[in-house]
Amino acid sequence: MKRMTLHCRVNGEAVAREVEVRRTLADFVREDLGLTGTHLGCEHGACGACTLLVDGRSVRSCLMFAVQAEGCEVQTVEGLGTEESLHPLQQAFWDHHGLQCGFCTPGFLMAAAELLRRNPHPDEPAVREALSGNLCRCTGYQNIVAAVLAAAESMAAPRA
Amino acid sequence: MKPAAFDYVAPTSVEEAVAALSGAGGDAKVLAGGQSLVPLMNLRLAKPAVVVDINRVAGLDGVTVRSGFLSVGALVRHADLAAHPDVAGWPLLRDALELIGHPAIRNRGTVGGSIAHADPAAELPGVLRVLGGSVVAAGPNGSREIAADDLFLGYLTTALEAEEILTEVRFPALPAGAGSAFVEFARRHGDFALVGAAVVVALREGGQVGEARLCLIGVGPGPVAVDMGGLQGKPATEATWAAGGELAAAACDPDSDLHAPAEYRRQLASVMTARALALAAPRASEPRR
Ligand SMILES: Cc1cc2nc3c(=O)[nH]c(=O)nc-3n(C[C@H](O)[C@H](O)[C@H](O)COP(=O)(O)OP(=O)(O)OC[C@H]3O[C@@H](n4cnc5c(N)ncnc54)[C@H](O)[C@@H]3O)c2cc1C
Ligand code: FES
Ligand code: FES
């Protein structure tokens, strides 16, 4: 079979689309669904820009075929927060200058989202380990780590 | 970058997977975690006519302690094995799993895929060989067990036939009282190692070295087992570990490549081995009278 119909949920919405089996999950969300927040840096697993969550776990979407997401729950950066109501991680990246050009940011946000879901109170080494697969050419990483630590704190604090 | 077109099949049983491989006339690839195969396909270094996705095959995701070994289904993800309670009894495996790539890689990458891919710098083939483990492969004529010593034939090459799938990996327990360590050097955290050393050390009554085993990664076409008999009976001291490092350096014949010249790899083999021995020995317990 060279084409198949894929059924999955993307950011909570049911999706049924015919796709070429060689379509990567990254190309599927970008080209077929128009969710261009997921970025492609290297397309061979080296940079982490394409990181999104499948059934809650971070994956490199350039290394998965879309048809492999059959029956799965996919979350992209578009599903994290909205422009009106940023996710605490997105707010913290803004506040702590965790981005410059922003190309790597969606991947970092999704990797960090998985970390905070599993470990709401990570220390700095745990943050660095969780983000170790994501490359950033701009920030020098320091502010990204600071942003994730700050987001963990703000998410733990009782809401005002 | 797009992979070349292929036919996709997603069998749900081992028998169907084997039939799909057999029917493809040698031009099929098994897709497990995809963390090594899909980069090769995206770069069009691999252009299989058929991709047999085994992610929906039932019965390949178990982790079970059996008499003398840990049985790990081929599809068990690195992250799931690392988090499994039974892996506590296999400290060498636990240490090695942490060194594989990054969280997103370990979320998808499988134990069977790491073994079948047989990257010369991959950790798990080194662990399997130093423990004297084996794998189970299913083919058109049923299943067979292949010892690690007979499995790794060369660069990215194993004794698996084109129509066989690897179903189970068997990691033997450490000898009673033995200590182990996995030490490697990588340029960046999570990268494939330039060189790594997996060691097992047992001590005699009185504290001298009893048995010592070493398998190196990154210094040959596959995992390189080194005879450490020369350390037997020696005291558990820094000088002995340094001598072990010299044995390692003398036993390996690395190639030069883009990442490191042969001489540097040989030096790393010596240093990683000495460090691993020094870590493993205190983890071993002397036999009681
Ligand atoms: C950025 C990055 C960093 C990495 N770092 C490391 C590292 O430090 N150490 C390390 O060891 N690995 C590393 N890897 C590789 C990773 O561990 C792979 O997951 C692993 O090598 C292959 O497992 P897989 O399940 O992804 O296999 P796949 O990519 O699906 O398959 C790899 C090969 O094995 C074959 N195969 C897979 N499963 C079976 C089976 N059950 N039966 C028969 N054949 C099979 C496939 O046909 C293919 O030829 C890294 C990968 C990336 C992208
Ligand atoms: S685009 Fe997927 S890892 Fe670089
Ligand atoms: S902000 Fe530019 S690459 Fe990270």
Side-chain angles (χ1 to χ4, degrees):
Chain A
M1 247 180 300
K2 292 209 161 64
R3 299 184 71 83
M4 284 174 69
T5 305
L6 159 68
H7 312 82
C8 60
R9 296 181 75 80
V10 179
N11 299 328
E13 279 184 38
V15 171
R17 287 285 173 112
E18 194 185 292
V19 290
E20 237 191 315
V21 295
R22 66 168 158 167
R23 195 112 171 120
T24 63
L25 182 58
D27 283 343
F28 175 70
V29 298
R30 286 177 56 82
E31 311 282 335
D32 295 340
L33 304 184
L35 298 173
T36 53
T38 300
H39 290 170
L40 283 165
C42 68
E43 296 183 73
H44 65 276
C47 74
C50 64
T51 306
L52 44 68
L53 305 184
V54 174
D55 291 340
R57 304 178 84 170
S58 65
V59 306
R60 279 155 153 53
S61 59
C62 70
L63 298 187
M64 229 179 120
F65 295 114
V67 290
Q68 295 189 279
E70 177 70 28
C72 294
E73 179 77 47
V74 176
Q75 193 187 3
T76 69
V77 71
E78 287 88 348
L80 209 54
T82 61
E83 278 181 41
E84 300 72 43
S85 162
L86 295 178
H87 184 277
L89 270 166
Q90 292 168 315
Q91 188 63 50
F93 269 61
W94 183 332
D95 295 342
H96 292 265
H97 306 288
L99 65 151
Q100 287 178 31
C101 79
F103 191 86
C104 67
T105 311
F108 273 97
L109 287 169
M110 299 318 280
E114 180 191 39
L115 168 71
L116 295 188
R117 214 168 286 167
R118 284 197 190 161
N119 177 4
H121 305 289
D123 56 9
E124 185 180 327
V127 172
R128 288 187 179 274
E129 166 65 24
L131 303 181
S132 68
N134 293 64
L135 298 183
C136 174
R137 301 300 301 239
C138 301
T139 64
Y141 302 101
Q142 205 59 45
N143 290 349
I144 296 179
V145 174
V148 175
L149 288 168
E153 241 173 73
S154 77
M155 288 163 77
R159 298 207 178 183
Chain B
M1 285 196 314
K2 311 293 166 227
F6 55 83
D7 274 314
Y8 175 83
V9 276
T12 54
S13 72
V14 170
E15 293 71 30
E16 279 170 33
V18 169
L21 289 174
S22 306
D27 201 3
K29 272 281 177 199
V30 171
L31 172 63
Q35 303 301 292
S36 296
L37 179 59
V38 181
L40 293 173
M41 290 178 66
N42 286 354
L43 295 163
R44 299 210 178 188
L45 295 169
K47 288 183 271 188
V50 181
V51 168
V52 181
D53 180 356
I54 60 169
N55 284 278
R56 290 173 198 270
V57 171
L60 297 185
D61 57 357
V63 178
T64 325
V65 179
R66 302 267 202 83
S67 71
F69 65 92
L70 187 70
S71 159
V72 181
L75 267 183
V76 174
R77 316 268 168 199
H78 300 137
D80 292 332
L81 185 57
H84 198 282
D86 288 338
V87 94
W90 273 259
L92 183 62
L93 185 55
R94 190 197 52 209
D95 291 352
L97 285 165
E98 282 177 9
L99 295 170
I100 300 177
H102 314 285
I105 305 298
R106 299 193 291 267
N107 279 345
R108 290 294 297 170
T110 66
V111 172
S114 277
I115 301 290
H117 192 61
D119 190 290
E123 287 83 3
L124 295 185
V127 170
L128 194 67
R129 261 204 101 172
V130 84
L131 292 178
S134 64
V135 300
V136 179
N141 304 317
S143 279
R144 61 175 179 138
E145 185 174 356
I146 309 169
D149 284 346
D150 303 324
L151 181 67
F152 301 105
L153 300 184
Y155 183 73
L156 304 183
T157 309
T158 67
L160 287 173
E161 301 289 344
E163 63 276 10
E164 278 183 321
I165 78 164
L166 197 161
T167 54
E168 180 191 343
V169 185
R170 297 178 167 176
F171 294 98
L174 290 175
S180 67
F182 201 113
V183 176
E184 68 176 33
F185 183 80
R187 280 269 163 74
R188 289 167 302 250
H189 179 80
D191 277 10
F192 271 110
L194 289 179
V195 173
V199 306
V200 173
V201 181
L203 299 178
R204 288 180 186 163
E205 213 176 285
Q208 299 94 340
V209 176
E211 189 192 2
R213 292 190 227 154
L214 166 68
C215 187
L216 296 168
I217 60 167
V219 297
V224 176
V226 179
D227 180 1
M228 299 298 269
L231 298 189
Q232 261 184 28
K234 294 205 169 168
T237 58
E238 288 301 321
T240 298
W241 313 144
E246 280 165 30
L247 285 176
C252 67
D253 185 18
D255 283 331
S256 293
D257 64 17
L258 198 62
H259 305 289
E263 260 324 293
Y264 181 47
R265 284 188 197 267
R266 192 171 294 118
Q267 171 68 16
L268 281 175
S270 168
V271 175
M272 294 303 114
T273 299
R275 285 186 192 167
L277 288 165
L279 264 178
R283 295 173 179 171
S285 49
E286 284 175 41
R288 304 247 163 76
R289 274 165 203 272

